[in-house]
Amino acid sequence: MLQKIVCVTLPGLAPFEFGVICEVFGIDRSIQGGPTFDFHVVAAEPGPIRTKIGFDIVVHDNLSAAADADLIAIPGYEAGEAVDPRVLQVVRDAEARGAWVLSVCSGAFVLAQAGILNGRRSTTHWMYTDALARSFPKTTVDPDVLFVDDSHVVTGAGTAAGIDAALHIVRTELGATAANVIARRMVVPPQRDGGQSQYIEAPVVDCHDESFAAVTEWMLRHLDQELPVDLLARKSLMSPRTFARRFRAELGTTPTRWLNRQRLLRAQELLEDSSRSLEAIAVDTGFGGAAVMRHHFLQVLQTTPTAYRRAFGPRRVG
């Protein structure tokens, strides 16, 4: 169960990446029906911690709080700086006991120095992927993803991708509803489009074109219907070929993949929050039948709707 979260700060701390961890895990969301975590910020040497911007934050707690954490989070920092051996041991201990370990941006270098990326896939900010691969050849660095989850060791790419990585952990442990509550409060997509759940593809851009904003909102209201590209193109006053090309350029994926992802997210919510049959949920979300819905669950989430409901519905968060 994901309850105790410990964020380990380092000299040269990146304020935004640190803020992402605090925003996802450090705020009481119970009023909105979301989770509340036992959140701690620690340092090897408590006191003023200099950020890479030049101002300090003051950390009061030492590393002892990390001993029984369910998640150790390492925000970005000035990569290349020496890391306190006690921090590296905290990371090793967490991985050894099966806790989650999360790095954001250059924080991946801490995980690599601790040795827990050996034999694992990983990522970091695109500016640092070559350096990570060169310095730590025992990890397979993927520069084209938002995050990688390899057996509870999650490495997030640069900056805002830390949100995707953190929400992935929440979604995996507490379900889509909990992740959606946090995302709604943060005014971000609950899950950016991608293929397999552990390996989300290159970042998709937010929809700025008003014509696509309108059509995607309409698609979300009509998930239970057949929505071929020809129909969507007509609603957008484009030819099917132009619509498909511009949709991919604007949203980073094809209309079919985007639609299937939205149907899957809606099915997850219904499995968590209702007792409706799998067949009814499949029809309401546009999959047409339980067998088709099961295929998409297995392909994207590596689980079945029945197993997902058993794990997350009804789900208590907090």
Side-chain angles (χ1 to χ4, degrees):
M1 188 66 175
L2 190 66
Q3 291 183 328
K4 186 174 182 180
I5 317 295
V6 172
C7 177
V8 180
T9 60
L10 299 165
L13 178 75
F16 184 93
E17 287 80 351
F18 171 67
V20 164
I21 295 170
C22 294
E23 180 74 19
V24 174
F25 299 110
I27 296 178
D28 183 347
R29 314 280 186 186
S30 57
I31 294 178
Q32 291 82 31
T36 300
F37 301 105
D38 179 17
F39 183 71
H40 301 261
V41 176
V42 305
E45 294 292 339
I49 304 294
R50 179 56 56 94
T51 69
K52 65 187 300 183
I53 306 300
F55 63 86
D56 292 352
I57 65 170
V58 178
V59 176
H60 300 284
D61 295 334
N62 62 28
L63 297 175
S64 62
D68 59 349
D70 301 306
L71 165 64
I72 298 295
I74 309 290
Y77 75 113
E78 290 284 5
E81 295 293 323
V83 178
D84 191 300
R86 292 170 292 178
V87 171
L88 299 180
Q89 192 60 49
V90 162
V91 171
R92 295 187 192 106
D93 292 345
E95 189 270 344
R97 67 174 181 271
W100 288 92
V101 180
L102 165 67
S103 68
V104 180
C105 194
S106 56
F109 285 83
V110 177
L111 275 54
Q113 288 185 53
I116 70 167
L117 295 185
N118 292 346
R120 282 186 162 101
R121 294 173 61 84
S122 64
T123 194
T124 186
H125 193 289
W126 59 266
M127 291 177 62
Y128 307 136
T129 50
D130 287 346
L132 184 64
R134 185 169 56 250
S135 300
F136 301 97
K138 292 184 180 180
T139 181
T140 302
V141 181
D142 190 337
D144 299 320
V145 294
L146 291 178
F147 65 84
V148 170
D149 175 356
D150 193 326
S151 302
H152 279 51
V153 174
V154 180
T155 48
T159 318
I163 300 173
D164 298 277
L167 289 177
H168 164 74
I169 295 174
V170 174
R171 187 181 304 109
T172 301
E173 285 286 332
L174 301 178
T177 298
N180 289 350
V181 169
I182 297 173
R184 199 171 296 117
R185 270 286 298 269
M186 295 179 68
V187 198
V188 297
Q191 184 165 336
R192 289 196 268 181
D193 183 76
Q196 298 181 15
S197 58
Q198 287 103 333
Y199 301 103
I200 293 186
E201 294 179 352
V204 302
V205 297
D206 293 333
C207 186
H208 301 296
D209 189 311
E210 290 185 3
S211 62
F212 284 106
V215 76
T216 52
E217 289 174 8
W218 185 87
M219 291 164 72
L220 291 173
R221 294 196 301 269
H222 297 84
L223 289 177
D224 59 327
Q225 302 177 17
E226 290 189 20
L227 301 175
V229 171
D230 287 356
L231 172 63
L232 301 173
R234 285 197 302 272
K235 290 192 68 65
S236 302
L237 302 178
M238 302 178 195
S239 71
R241 183 175 180 179
T242 299
F243 175 83
R245 175 176 54 79
R246 289 186 56 187
F247 191 99
R248 188 179 187 97
E250 179 70 17
L251 291 164
T253 189
T254 66
T256 299
R257 289 188 66 186
W258 187 90
L259 186 59
N260 283 337
R261 174 39 112 190
Q262 305 313 309
R263 285 173 166 157
L264 190 60
L265 287 170
R266 179 59 180 152
Q268 289 176 262
E269 293 176 357
L270 291 174
L271 288 168
E272 292 178 23
D273 300 334
S274 77
S275 58
R276 306 187 67 192
S277 69
L278 298 186
E279 196 67 35
I281 290 175
V283 170
D284 285 350
T285 54
F287 286 120
V292 175
M293 183 171 70
R294 185 177 188 275
H295 166 77
H296 284 279
F297 265 74
L298 286 169
Q299 185 179 56
V300 177
L301 301 176
Q302 293 83 50
T303 190
T304 65
T306 300
Y308 187 88
R309 169 171 272 172
R310 189 181 304 120
F312 298 118
R315 188 71 188 180
R316 293 195 307 269
V317 295

